[in-house]
Amino acid sequence: EVQLVESGGGFVQPGGSLRLSCAASGFTFSSYWMHWVRQAPGKGLVWVSRANTDGSSTAYADSVKGRFTMSRDNAKNTLYLQMDSLRVEDTAVYYCAGEGYSHGYFYGFEIWGQGTMVTVSS
Amino acid sequence: EIVLTQSPGTLSLSPGERATLSCRASQSVTSNYLAWYQQKPGQAPRLLIFAASSRATGIPDRFSGSGSGTDFTLTISRLEPEDFAMYYCQQYTNSPPNTFGQGTKLEIK
């Protein structure tokens, strides 16, 4: 079964840190570009960050640049998001998503995890 | 950054009717890398359409996408009860940021 399973969410005070993980199974993880997408309670989807297939290239939304670091370990089929200097406005469900990619063509965010909740509050 | 504007914000229709959802981009979407997602309460989004008009694996043929450049449309030909949900468009070129529209809520009339 194709699956992404996030973990590591929780409650943290402003200024704190959390590390999210996303474990992949049932597909060739190393062939997919990977993304983090978040959704604040009752709001829409917001793209956060992405990594290419080997993790050599990453990109971030302006709202998290310099505070969040995305990485991946293809040997462990796992994606990470290190979140530092957390703010109240970072409160959201965080989804990892896999983007199909082949021979320079992108297929959209085909695979999604179930999400993990991050709450930043004093 | 490409801004995507979806309309209408809410669409009220009955099962069996045709739904037409719009997504307009602030600038041309490269290679028509425009996707549509469905999201139900408490669930992760599900990819419906990629590259503006290609159905994702397992998506029923009542869902279709069209458009190019800056104007895109998702059409559901005959609404089933399970189709009532939130719908988001997204541009996913490899030049970040990958932006989403604000969503259209499709509700039962």
Side-chain angles (χ1 to χ4, degrees):
Chain A
E1 180 190 4
V2 172
Q3 201 166 329
L4 290 170
V5 179
E6 301 97 336
S7 60
F11 185 95
V12 63
Q13 293 187 330
S17 298
L18 277 177
R19 188 194 197 201
L20 306 183
S21 299
C22 170
S25 59
F27 65 100
T28 307
F29 178 69
S30 59
S31 296
Y32 280 72
W33 287 50
M34 295 300 297
H35 299 257
W36 289 97
V37 175
R38 69 185 181 185
Q39 186 170 37
K43 302 298 184 181
L45 302 170
V46 176
W47 176 81
V48 173
S49 63
R50 69 108 168 109
N52 65 347
T53 53
D54 65 4
S56 60
S57 173
T58 55
Y60 301 89
D62 286 346
S63 58
V64 307
K65 201 173 294 182
R67 300 188 298 121
F68 289 12
T69 303
M70 182 178 182
S71 61
R72 63 190 296 167
D73 185 336
N74 286 348
K76 294 182 177 179
N77 289 336
T78 304
L79 182 72
Y80 303 99
L81 185 67
Q82 177 66 42
M83 304 187 296
D84 298 320
S85 303
L86 282 161
R87 305 168 180 169
V88 171
E89 56 265 34
D90 295 319
T91 295
V93 173
Y94 284 73
Y95 296 100
C96 60
E99 180 177 22
Y101 172 77
S102 178
H103 299 99
Y105 191 82
F106 292 91
Y107 294 87
F109 292 16
E110 299 178 324
I111 309 169
W112 291 75
Q114 85 290 349
T116 187
M117 183 70 203
V118 171
T119 303
V120 185
S121 175
S122 55
Chain B
E1 173 178 331
I2 297 177
V3 176
L4 299 178
T5 302
Q6 293 185 240
S7 62
T10 302
L11 185 57
S12 300
L13 294 170
S14 300
E17 291 192 293
R18 180 184 185 92
T20 303
L21 287 67
S22 174
C23 177
R24 177 161 290 178
S26 60
Q27 56 187 280
S28 185
V29 177
T30 305
S31 302
N32 283 340
Y33 276 154
L34 191 288
W36 290 92
Y37 299 85
Q38 177 193 69
Q39 188 180 33
K40 298 179 179 179
Q43 296 185 15
R46 177 174 72 145
L47 177 65
L48 300 174
I49 301 289
F50 66 94
S53 60
S54 296
R55 265 188 306 276
T57 302
I59 300 304
D61 60 8
R62 64 180 181 274
F63 290 90
S64 64
S66 62
S68 64
T70 60
D71 289 291
F72 300 88
T73 301
L74 174 70
T75 301
I76 310 172
S77 58
R78 287 180 56 85
L79 285 166
E80 298 286 342
E82 62 267 28
D83 298 337
F84 292 91
M86 283 293 293
Y87 290 84
Y88 295 94
C89 61
Q90 177 212 26
Q91 63 85 17
Y92 62 98
T93 69
N94 64 348
S95 298
N98 298 138
T99 49
F100 290 89
Q102 82 281 14
T104 289
K105 182 179 181 180
L106 179 55
E107 64 176 24
I108 299 177
K109 188 174 182 179

